[in-house]
Amino acid sequence: MQLFTSSVGRKVLMAITGQFMVLFVIVHMLGNSSIFIPGGINAYAEHLHALPPLVWAFRLVMLVAAGIHILFGIQLSLENRAANPDTYAVKNYKKATMGSLSMLYTGLLLLSFIIYHLLHFTIRATPDIKLGVDSLGRFDVFGMVTNSFSHGIIAFIYIAAMVVLFLHLSHGIQSFFQTMGWNNDKSLPVFSKIGMIAAVVLLLGYATIPFVIVTGILKG
Ligand code: HEM
């Protein structure tokens, strides 16, 4: 199979890079949950940054995966659109086009969120960022995150972005199984359910953090 040139090859690459990013969002959500353990997120961040070459190797792999996913995602949905003009009579084709278009829009919104998020908590370049150290001399990720999410607008942006992530993944995870050809009439509903459950868990796991902070349930 010509991975980079054939339409099926590009779909498979999109599915694999997509699943790779799903793994990342699962691990990142579990890591972020350490915010509920006193001192937890500061210790987690310190461990994470303990081996810079590993951090940079991981970032490079993520960048390549995201690049492939975004590039082919845009390309495939534009090709789909050109192949299925609005007047197309067959309902299923229209449905498929709608699906890929909404994946394109939610994907582009997620990309904007990720750029903002990197500027926010990784590069720490936005005006709300509070830099400091905790009582053990570690960088105070807890203070930074709670300070940012105490601003209603920032908490709202994050919660809205998590809804977009949910929309993208509830379709995307199920598509993965379809693209890999692992589905049949019996397994398709099961894979749809797995995709939906994973997307809901991620939505709740992530959105809870800005929610409990902006509502004052978790105090900085
Ligand atoms: C409530 C939601 C989220 C919170 C509180 C959060 C928190 C954080 C924090 C604190 C960092 C910086 C870690 C450090 O440098 O010590 C970070 C980095 C990052 N986050 Fe998130 N995050 C959230 C959602 C997401 C989502 C949904 C994605 C992906 C779609 C994401 C992708 C990333 C990436 C790619 C990095 C950079 C990792 C690196 O340093 O290479 N985050 N996040």
Side-chain angles (χ1 to χ4, degrees):
M1 187 197 313
Q2 290 134 323
L3 265 185
F4 286 89
T5 49
S6 77
S7 163
V8 176
R10 284 179 288 162
K11 267 196 180 149
V12 168
L13 276 177
M14 273 201 76
I16 294 171
T17 50
Q19 279 320 294
F20 186 75
M21 288 190 279
V22 168
L23 272 184
F24 168 78
V25 284
I26 293 172
V27 172
H28 190 42
M29 183 196 74
L30 293 174
N32 286 346
S33 306
S34 63
I35 200 163
F36 298 109
I37 304 165
I41 200 161
N42 293 0
Y44 170 67
E46 193 183 39
H47 283 124
L48 215 61
H49 291 283
L51 286 168
L54 210 69
V55 173
W56 280 103
F58 166 77
R59 284 176 175 166
L60 191 71
V61 173
M62 280 293 290
L63 195 71
V64 172
I68 290 175
H69 193 81
I70 294 163
L71 202 78
F72 288 164
I74 295 174
Q75 220 180 41
L76 283 168
S77 37
L78 292 181
E79 280 173 16
N80 254 356
R81 199 176 168 181
N84 303 298
D86 287 345
T87 50
Y88 208 100
V90 183
K91 236 186 176 171
N92 276 347
Y93 271 88
K94 258 195 155 171
K95 238 173 120 184
T97 312
M98 285 286 289
S100 70
L101 263 189
S102 73
M103 287 305 275
L104 176 66
Y105 295 142
T106 52
L108 291 175
L109 280 171
L110 273 180
L111 176 62
S112 328
F113 164 74
I114 292 167
I115 293 170
Y116 165 67
H117 184 51
L118 290 178
L119 284 170
H120 191 205
F121 286 153
T122 301
I123 300 171
R124 298 166 191 161
T126 56
D128 58 294
I129 284 297
K130 185 181 131 197
L131 299 173
V133 288
D134 65 10
S135 57
L136 297 176
R138 301 174 298 201
F139 178 68
D140 190 10
V141 181
F142 181 81
M144 171 180 79
V145 173
T146 49
N147 179 65
S148 288
F149 289 158
S150 65
H151 297 89
I153 179 75
I154 297 175
F156 175 79
I157 291 171
Y158 270 77
I159 293 172
M162 296 313 113
V163 173
V164 175
L165 178 70
F166 162 79
L167 293 173
H168 197 75
L169 293 187
S170 54
H171 180 82
I173 296 175
Q174 166 216 305
S175 285
F176 166 75
F177 296 108
Q178 246 164 317
T179 302
M180 303 309 280
W182 296 341
N183 63 304
N184 53 43
D185 283 352
K186 260 195 189 153
S187 60
L188 189 62
V190 178
F191 290 142
S192 293
K193 219 172 244 170
I194 292 175
M196 186 54 77
I197 292 171
V200 169
V201 169
L202 286 164
L203 169 65
L204 296 178
Y206 275 116
T208 302
I209 297 173
F211 178 78
V212 293
I213 294 170
V214 76
T215 51
I217 298 170
L218 180 68
K219 292 187 174 67

